Amino acid sequence: MKRSSDTVLYWFLREAPILLAVTVTGIIYNAGLAAGPWFEGKLVQCLADIAGGTQSAEDMFRLAFLYVFTIILVQTFRALKRLAVRVFANRIGKGLKVSLFRTLISGRTGDGAGEMMTRILSDADACAEGMRKFTTEIFDTGIALLSYLIMLFLYDWRLTLLTALFPPLSCIVAEKLKVMVTATATDARRSTSSLNAMTLDRVTNAITYRIAGAEAERDREYERLLASHERKVRRANVWENAMPPLYYVAALLGTPIIAYFGSRNILNAGWAAWDIAAFTTFFSCYLKLAVKASKAAKLFNSVHKAEVSWKRIKPFLKSGEEERREDEPWGAGLQLSDVSVSYPGQETLIDHLTFSASPGEIIGVTGKVASGKSALGRVLAGELPFSGSIGLGKLEYRGGEYVSGVSYMGHSPDLFSATVRDNIALGDDGDVMPYLRAVCIDAEVTPDTMIGNGGVRLSGGQAERIALARTLFHRAPLIILDDPFSALDLKTEEEIFRNMRLLTQNSIVILISHRLTLFPETDRVVFISDGRAVVADHGTLMRVNPDYRALLEAREEGR
């Protein structure tokens, strides 16, 4: 049964193996904490017995050695638990960001860039941190509280019932402050979103504001927003961080009662017969229980804060299993059945398209201007919705959602200010030279050549070839190329096509182009005209489709 990733339970179950490690180490560590008060009581009693002459310094040394050994053992399991919890939180944070980025890529956010940046970076981190603290406190507070409580009951159950009424007060106080903590956290995050949006706007449109003479006013508006943001964040931090001392004070209200009734127990006039060790152990247990209870109250604040972030990102988390299937057994190739495509709110561009392709094939896609060629490419890249059925191996397209196993090169290559190697490899290992040779640019640039943002230091043909080299370097089972040769001469285009044929023998290539020079070399052609798509090999289309033949002849004449 599919689980929905917009539930907290999904993310906990997703990391079940590491949570098992957290559970085992957490139980051992927190159960072992109860040994501390017992040793402290025994050490105080031993000291009193040494003063009375009934025990020796050697007895104190042996007891102290056992105490230190127990602490080392307990703290070792604590370190292992903390490591496991941190790994858990890191994986949760990564998973949330991947899911949110997929939504951002699909273009269905409906919000400004600053808002989305806040959700992706800040809210995902806040949710992961809330889950980490919750997981930590389940053991560091829950199991520890239970261990201390059991020990207190063993020493004097009546006094335990009387004093155990106070630690829950800290939790009650935290619950009462929930509304204010949540409200201030929400206000602070909204302010952060607005600040991010204005920062991006101020940087992106700086020249426009300067030319229009609005730069000074935008600067003043930014300063006002920044001051407001500082106030709101400070207020949220005060409510979150200034309350823990109050929780601790509430939890410690039982100490005068322990002092009174504990002293009666030592004098054999109370509910139990105690010695100094018993009194010290009981008192130490209660103090540690109070500390844990105050931390549990602080946990409420952390969970409330994470809840604010969770509500913000929940609508942007995709439903169902979302693991990217890197080792997908593609096998059967690409199948389109009765596919219709249109931009939202516009007339249908492609109606009832059906065809299939196998690895090693190059499928040409062409048609008149604005016929839907690029729209088909975007559908196959997972960027646009469609009706009908599309399958890539065992993967079924959902329409307008992230698709694994696809490499896509669009009209405008996205190049950034870095070396050619960085632009092609994008951080992966591997030699980029074979791909520079494949796109016939190895004589013009080297892997260490610096190119500007957007490829400003390159010609149009060079930028196209760098982008194509990147697509081939990261080649996938399905490669979509939208007009990759528009700025190249015929000889270079033909050489690159031959090299590409060799490099993509295990992939399907969808070649979208208005230049039909190489279409006789493709395995099949999808010709789109007036919403109708015809699929056949080049020779057949030339014989039976006058529109395709006329388009080819017109392109040949204009060449």
Side-chain angles (χ1 to χ4, degrees):
M1 184 176 67
K2 284 188 176 182
R3 294 166 291 169
S4 178
S5 62
D6 60 356
T7 64
V8 176
L9 180 61
Y10 166 85
W11 295 97
F12 277 102
L13 293 178
R14 185 175 181 265
E15 303 299 335
I18 194 67
L19 280 178
L20 179 61
V22 173
T23 301
V24 173
T25 55
I27 289 176
I28 295 175
Y29 159 57
N30 287 284
L33 287 177
W38 184 85
F39 273 107
E40 291 169 8
K42 290 297 183 182
L43 287 169
V44 172
Q45 185 64 57
C46 184
L47 186 62
D49 291 342
I50 290 174
T54 57
Q55 291 199 63
S56 65
E58 288 77 9
D59 297 321
M60 175 68 82
F61 176 78
R62 283 194 295 270
L63 194 60
F65 177 80
L66 287 175
Y67 183 30
V68 171
F69 176 79
T70 301
I71 290 176
I72 292 174
L73 185 63
V74 169
Q75 292 301 318
T76 298
F77 279 98
R78 181 190 184 190
L80 293 174
K81 181 192 71 68
R82 289 174 70 115
L83 175 62
V85 169
R86 178 47 61 189
V87 171
F88 165 77
N90 289 345
R91 290 180 178 177
I92 291 291
K94 176 184 175 182
L96 286 171
K97 289 175 183 177
V98 166
S99 185
L100 288 167
F101 273 123
R102 290 177 184 174
T103 302
L104 177 62
I105 290 171
S106 69
R108 296 188 309 281
T109 62
D111 290 306
E115 184 78 8
M116 179 47 65
M117 283 193 297
T118 299
R119 288 194 176 100
I120 290 174
L121 300 177
S122 182
D123 289 337
D125 286 336
C127 289
E129 185 66 9
M131 292 182 190
R132 182 194 70 80
K133 289 183 178 179
F134 176 80
T135 304
T136 299
E137 296 303 331
I138 283 292
F139 298 100
D140 285 7
T141 299
I143 301 298
L145 281 173
L146 183 62
S147 300
Y148 291 140
L149 200 59
I150 290 173
M151 183 167 285
L152 291 175
F153 268 103
L154 291 176
Y155 277 88
D156 190 333
W157 65 270
R158 296 178 184 85
L159 184 54
T160 299
L161 288 176
L162 186 60
T163 55
L165 297 174
F166 295 100
L169 280 177
S170 59
C171 298
I172 295 173
V173 172
E175 182 62 25
K176 295 299 182 182
L177 294 174
K178 172 183 177 180
V179 174
M180 185 57 67
V181 172
T182 302
T184 55
T186 302
D187 201 26
R189 293 205 173 276
R190 286 174 179 167
S191 176
T192 302
S193 298
S194 300
L195 183 63
N196 283 340
M198 179 168 279
T199 301
L200 184 63
D201 173 75
R202 187 68 184 87
V203 172
T204 304
N205 301 310
I207 296 178
T208 302
Y209 292 136
R210 188 173 303 161
I211 294 173
E215 187 174 31
E217 176 57 32
R218 295 303 293 173
D219 286 343
R220 287 192 293 270
E221 182 63 27
Y222 188 78
E223 289 293 334
R224 286 194 293 268
L225 185 60
L226 190 61
S228 174
H229 171 71
E230 183 182 2
R231 289 193 302 271
K232 291 175 180 178
V233 171
R234 183 171 61 246
R235 188 163 177 252
N237 288 335
V238 166
W239 279 100
E240 180 185 0
N241 299 315
M243 296 299 107
L246 296 180
Y247 307 151
Y248 188 43
V249 169
L252 286 176
L253 292 178
T255 52
I257 298 175
I258 294 175
Y260 175 74
F261 286 99
S263 62
R264 289 177 60 83
N265 286 346
I266 292 177
L267 298 174
N268 292 324
W271 292 317
W274 282 359
D275 54 12
I276 295 176
F279 178 85
T280 304
T281 299
F282 192 94
F283 195 79
S284 178
C285 268
Y286 183 81
L287 291 179
K288 288 179 169 57
L289 183 144
V291 171
K292 292 296 182 182
S294 66
K295 288 184 177 180
K298 183 180 180 181
L299 172 64
F300 284 131
N301 283 351
S302 299
V303 172
H304 297 333
K305 184 178 180 180
E307 185 180 6
V308 173
S309 294
W310 179 259
K311 289 179 179 178
R312 286 162 56 93
I313 68 174
K314 183 177 178 179
F316 300 93
L317 294 172
K318 297 178 183 292
S319 299
E321 298 289 350
E322 298 191 37
E323 299 302 318
R324 181 169 181 171
R325 293 169 283 186
E326 299 289 354
D327 301 321
E328 179 71 47
W330 306 106
L334 177 68
Q335 304 88 31
L336 284 78
S337 178
D338 201 30
V339 171
S340 296
V341 181
S342 64
Y343 287 107
Q346 298 183 17
E347 295 182 358
T348 300
L349 291 170
I350 304 173
D351 201 16
H352 304 298
L353 170 62
T354 297
F355 77 92
S356 62
S358 301
E361 291 187 324
I362 298 179
I363 308 298
V365 178
T366 191
K368 298 177 181 178
V369 176
S371 60
K373 303 185 297 294
S374 295
L376 178 60
R378 293 184 62 191
V379 165
L380 294 174
E383 292 187 355
L384 286 179
F386 64 92
S387 63
S389 172
I390 302 179
L392 181 60
K394 294 185 178 180
L395 172 67
E396 187 74 21
Y397 278 63
R398 298 175 188 171
E401 291 193 2
Y402 170 82
V403 179
S404 60
V406 176
S407 292
Y408 176 72
M409 175 184 166
H411 278 296
S412 302
D414 294 320
L415 302 177
F416 52 92
S417 184
T419 65
V420 168
R421 178 186 291 105
D422 291 336
N423 272 275
I424 294 175
L426 298 179
D428 288 351
D429 295 327
D431 184 8
V432 302
M433 277 305 300
Y435 302 93
L436 294 179
R437 287 192 289 269
V439 298
C440 303
I441 201 174
D442 54 305
E444 302 171 41
V445 299
T446 70
D448 296 320
T449 299
M450 288 293 299
I451 59 178
N453 193 38
V456 294
R457 298 181 183 178
L458 304 174
S459 67
Q462 288 175 325
E464 276 186 349
R465 283 177 284 168
I466 294 295
L468 179 58
R470 178 170 63 199
T471 305
L472 295 175
F473 182 91
H474 298 278
R475 60 186 179 274
L478 177 61
I479 299 174
I480 303 165
L481 306 175
D482 195 346
D483 240 351
F485 309 127
S486 61
L488 302 181
D489 61 83
L490 179 58
K491 182 180 178 180
T492 303
E493 180 181 358
E494 290 175 341
E495 186 176 351
I496 292 175
F497 186 87
R498 288 194 298 269
N499 296 336
M500 186 174 70
R501 174 75 82 173
L502 294 174
L503 284 172
T504 60
Q505 292 179 1
N506 296 319
S507 301
I508 300 166
V509 177
I510 304 296
L511 176 60
I512 303 168
S513 180
H514 67 282
R515 292 173 54 162
L516 308 183
T517 308
L518 297 173
F519 272 49
E521 306 298 325
T522 61
D523 295 283
R524 260 161 301 148
V525 176
V526 178
F527 177 65
I528 306 171
S529 178
D530 300 323
R532 181 170 172 265
V534 181
V535 183
D537 61 80
H538 170 76
T540 301
L541 277 177
M542 287 293 290
R543 289 194 306 271
V544 305
N545 194 301
D547 291 335
Y548 178 73
R549 185 169 60 251
L551 184 64
L552 181 66
E553 292 171 352
R555 297 283 163 80
E556 288 293 326
E557 291 175 1
R559 212 157 45 93

